[in-house]
Amino acid sequence: MNAIFPFGYESTTAWYLVLYLGTLLMHLILMSYVIAGSAWLANSRLRIWSSPAQPIKERSTITIVDILTDWMPFALGGAITAGVAPLLFVQILYQEKFYTANLLLFHRWMSILPVLIVGFYLLYVQKAQWSAAKQENRSRGWLPLAMRSLVSVLAIGCFGFVGYSWTENHLLANQPDELWSSFYRDRRMFYFDSQMIPRLGIWFCGTFPAMLWILAGQRWLLRTPESATFDLLAADEAAGNDRSLEKWRREQSTMSTVVMVSLALGWGFVVWYGWCLTEQEKAAVFTITAAPYWGLAMVGTAIQIRGWWRFKDQTLVDLRWIMIIGAGLILMMIGGLVLRELLRVSHVDLGKWQQAHRQSAAVGGMYVFFVFLLLNIGIAIWCLRGVLKSKI
């Protein structure tokens, strides 16, 4: 393609590409909260096994584990809802490729749905009283602790399987007809190639900056003067008991460190992924027309590093830095999503599908899409306002 993406295509096809990536961005942010949040909870539950048993004490502050446990089911519901639109657009854009991969993986591909349902209910099990974060202590016995740990590990296992399956589907869809024929003839149920591991590594590492950015916003909302957390911390500070304040600061520092490590590892996987690309794929992403999106990803990463470095030493959560970090995150994600799409279009002749795209646009469903998009966003905001009012 001799023009900057997506301007090398007809207006209808370019419009569908923009809508696809825009809705995928919303899904990606919420999906990141679920995957990285589930991994965080599983890690926190497993780490208790190596910590010394202590007497149960009621905590005065709301911790990261409390927030994640409370909000994870809502985030998964939002991620699933936000994933409907990009799923529809990808079918319009890449009809033959997408449908073929689905059919070749059909029996195992359909297992995504029950696995996702199980993961959804496990998130609610984590909120049950016997599994609540405030009871995470070895002094309650090994059996409840083992059950809590098992629930968390199974939850991240479910969402990891779904992420792996989508990556597998994407890579199989990019293969030529000859491989599809052999895949069908051999009745294979799984597809794997050299790009699988670095691609999954990029996705997994990329979820933590998004999850922790949302978490920083939640901590800011819960840190308002009207919240119990603020009152309790202020009371501790006035009484000379800085244990709660120290724990709050320590969590801030941990969040910053995790983001830094995730970004570094993520770019490491990008380099690995680059070595695994075919010559055709390299010609699509290592070109002057793709340079602006590499720039967006790098600038977005630099902004996040600067923001999180400033953020880690703060006692109070500063909304200005949260917004700066968010801007960097969005820039990085946009750059990454476009580069990902350039790899896909290097395998697809979108030119032959442009007539089908015009026919789809002529149906007139675009107005309905935007009406329900705005309606769903409004309902989500209304639900969030109600929940947040009950928390603070």
Side-chain angles (χ1 to χ4, degrees), residues 73-111:
F74 179 88
L76 179 59
I80 294 173
T81 303
V84 173
L87 179 60
L88 295 176
F89 288 128
V90 77
Q91 294 178 68
I92 295 174
L93 285 165
Y94 307 108
Q95 302 176 20
E96 181 183 14
K97 293 281 188 178
F98 184 74
Y99 294 140
T100 301
N102 290 348
L103 291 172
L104 289 173
L105 295 170
F106 180 74
H107 293 86
R108 207 230 1 110
W109 177 249
M110 293 301 292
S111 65

Side-chain angles (χ1 to χ4, degrees), residues 329-370:
L329 176 69
I330 298 302
L331 290 177
M332 183 186 73
M333 284 186 163
I334 291 174
L337 286 175
V338 172
L339 291 170
R340 167 186 179 272
E341 214 56 31
L342 287 174
L343 292 174
R344 195 204 310 251
V345 299
S346 69
H347 296 277
V348 181
D349 181 13
L350 280 180
K352 74 174 186 177
W353 295 106
Q354 291 184 136
Q355 177 62 32
H357 297 162
R358 289 195 296 270
Q359 293 174 353
S360 298
V363 172
M366 194 64 69
Y367 299 106
V368 177
F369 165 74
F370 278 109

Side-chain angles (χ1 to χ4, degrees), residues 62-281:
I62 300 175
T63 66
I64 291 177
V65 172
D66 294 329
I67 297 173
L68 290 175
T69 302
D70 200 25
W71 284 88
M72 200 64 65
F74 179 88
L76 179 59
I80 294 173
T81 303
V84 173
L87 179 60
L88 295 176
F89 288 128
V90 77
Q91 294 178 68
I92 295 174
L93 285 165
Y94 307 108
Q95 302 176 20
E96 181 183 14
K97 293 281 188 178
F98 184 74
Y99 294 140
T100 301
N102 290 348
L103 291 172
L104 289 173
L105 295 170
F106 180 74
H107 293 86
R108 207 230 1 110
W109 177 249
M110 293 301 292
S111 65
I112 287 178
L113 184 58
V115 169
L116 199 57
I117 292 173
V118 171
F120 190 76
Y121 280 106
L122 286 173
L123 295 183
Y124 277 104
V125 171
Q126 287 188 129
K127 296 183 65 174
Q129 184 176 4
W130 65 269
S131 184
K134 291 183 179 180
Q135 298 180 12
E136 287 182 341
N137 194 292
R138 289 180 61 190
S139 61
R140 287 193 179 270
W142 67 269
L143 183 58
L145 177 59
M147 293 298 295
R148 291 194 293 271
S149 302
L150 180 61
V151 168
S152 298
V153 170
L154 288 176
I156 184 58
C158 288
F159 303 131
F161 174 79
V162 174
Y164 160 79
S165 298
W166 275 103
T167 300
E168 175 192 34
N169 180 281
H170 180 99
L171 292 175
L172 181 59
N174 291 341
Q175 302 309 309
D177 296 355
E178 294 78 15
L179 190 143
W180 289 345
S181 298
S182 64
F183 192 95
Y184 178 75
R185 183 180 62 250
D186 298 337
R187 298 185 179 183
R188 295 162 59 186
M189 299 290 287
F190 292 88
Y191 174 74
F192 183 86
D193 67 17
S194 62
Q195 297 183 11
M196 180 72 73
I197 295 177
R199 189 182 181 90
L200 287 173
I202 294 171
W203 278 114
F204 184 68
C205 292
T207 61
F208 284 92
M211 182 273 286
L212 291 170
W213 170 64
I214 297 175
L215 189 63
Q218 291 175 304
R219 284 164 66 90
W220 177 80
L221 288 170
L222 295 171
R223 194 63 171 84
T224 57
E226 293 81 10
S227 73
T229 298
F230 182 92
D231 293 338
L232 289 166
L233 286 174
D236 287 339
E237 188 174 28
N241 179 10
D242 61 355
R243 177 181 297 177
S244 297
L245 287 170
E246 180 59 30
K247 186 168 186 177
W248 184 275
R249 295 189 188 101
R250 189 166 61 248
E251 287 194 337
Q252 294 274 103
S253 180
T254 300
M255 291 167 66
S256 300
T257 302
V258 170
V259 171
M260 302 289 188
V261 173
S262 298
L263 291 173
L265 289 175
W267 278 101
F269 280 115
V270 168
V271 174
W272 181 1
Y273 194 20
W275 283 105
C276 298
L277 297 178
T278 64
E279 294 301 321
Q280 179 181 353
E281 292 169 333

